[in-house]
Amino acid sequence: MAFTTSQQVVSELFQSSFGRAVSSLTALDAWVVRYDAKDAATAEQDILAEMNLSAESAAIYDTKTDTEAVDFIFTNSLGRAAGEPGRQAWIDR
């Protein structure tokens, strides 16, 4: 089954943020409904903000240093840790 653009975006945000795939198509579709209801210009940022408020996000990030958090996201997104000075640029954002 091919994903819609919205499903692909949400799936990638989920993988980057939590280091895992969305648990089911039902869960994915629930996030997609929220994503599609957002303004297109800020939808990704808005969904990430909602994901960051979750208990799962707190469990992952509350014990990580800024460096560890950036490396976690980079590894989930790109398959590698962030390099310098890029890592510091993300920390300073």
Side-chain angles (χ1 to χ4, degrees):
M1 175 182 96
F3 277 175
T4 66
T5 300
S6 295
Q7 287 173 318
Q8 185 66 37
V9 169
V10 170
S11 180
E12 289 173 2
L13 293 174
F14 212 90
Q15 179 66 42
S16 295
S17 296
F18 301 127
R20 66 175 181 83
V22 180
S23 58
S24 69
L25 284 176
T26 302
L28 175 61
D29 287 341
W31 279 103
V32 167
V33 167
R34 294 158 87 168
Y35 175 83
D36 287 342
K38 306 287 184 189
D39 180 271
T42 61
E44 288 183 38
Q45 182 177 345
D46 293 345
I47 290 298
L48 279 173
E50 289 183 33
M51 289 178 176
N52 287 338
L53 295 175
S54 72
E56 184 173 0
S57 181
I60 292 169
Y61 294 103
D62 284 357
T63 60
K64 291 189 182 329
T65 66
D66 290 344
T67 297
E68 291 169 335
V70 169
D71 283 343
F72 181 80
I73 294 167
F74 259 73
T75 299
N76 294 336
S77 302
L78 303 173
R80 65 174 176 81
E84 292 297 342
R87 177 186 294 116
Q88 192 60 47
W90 283 106
I91 291 169
D92 291 342
R93 287 185 81 170

